[in-house]
Amino acid sequence: GVPVNSRVSSKIQQLLNTLKRPKRPPLKEFFVDDFEELLEVQQPDPNQPKPEGNQVNVLKGEPLGVVTNWPPSLLAALQRWGTTQPKAPCLTALDTTGKAIYTLTYGR
């Protein structure tokens, strides 16, 4: 007889065991078609709190000037502007009448 290498034999057995394993189910078995549910109008929860206060609107600021040496990112631009213009306004909070109540500068 021919000597049998048990190492090769175990590799073949491992391959056979792998091939015997159940295959993954098709993707369609994982897919849930909930398109019809998405089209249904959801009724709001009556216990859900109602929004209060006035609606907030975004105000447009001054347009940006054209600069030839723009920084590579917003963070770099803020860093540069904060170091060169530390007292420039960064953020302004307004009250309900539109009056500025607090202004945050880059230096703070």
Side-chain angles (χ1 to χ4, degrees):
V2 178
V4 178
N5 187 346
S6 63
R7 183 171 169 211
V8 173
S9 183
S10 67
K11 286 187 176 185
I12 292 173
Q13 185 62 45
Q14 185 180 6
L15 178 62
L16 285 172
N17 291 341
T18 303
L19 293 173
K20 286 180 185 176
R21 272 193 238 143
K23 294 186 175 162
R24 291 185 198 157
L27 187 60
K28 67 180 182 179
E29 291 183 22
F30 289 108
F31 179 72
V32 177
D33 189 9
D34 57 355
F35 183 70
E36 294 299 324
E37 291 178 17
L38 293 174
L39 292 178
E40 293 176 8
V41 176
Q42 299 272 335
Q43 296 298 325
D45 183 7
N47 297 326
Q48 184 178 7
K50 305 291 184 234
E52 298 177 3
N54 297 331
Q55 185 174 357
V56 178
N57 295 322
V58 176
L59 297 176
K60 289 191 176 187
E62 300 173 12
L64 295 173
V66 177
V67 180
T68 57
N69 57 349
W70 286 101
S73 68
L74 177 62
L75 189 59
L78 290 173
Q79 176 71 29
R80 182 190 297 175
W81 185 257
T83 54
T84 60
Q85 304 288 329
K87 297 199 186 245
C90 171
L91 179 76
T92 302
L94 306 175
D95 65 6
T96 55
T97 62
K99 181 180 174 188
I101 56 173
Y102 185 75
T103 301
L104 179 68
T105 62
Y106 288 96
R108 280 194 236 164

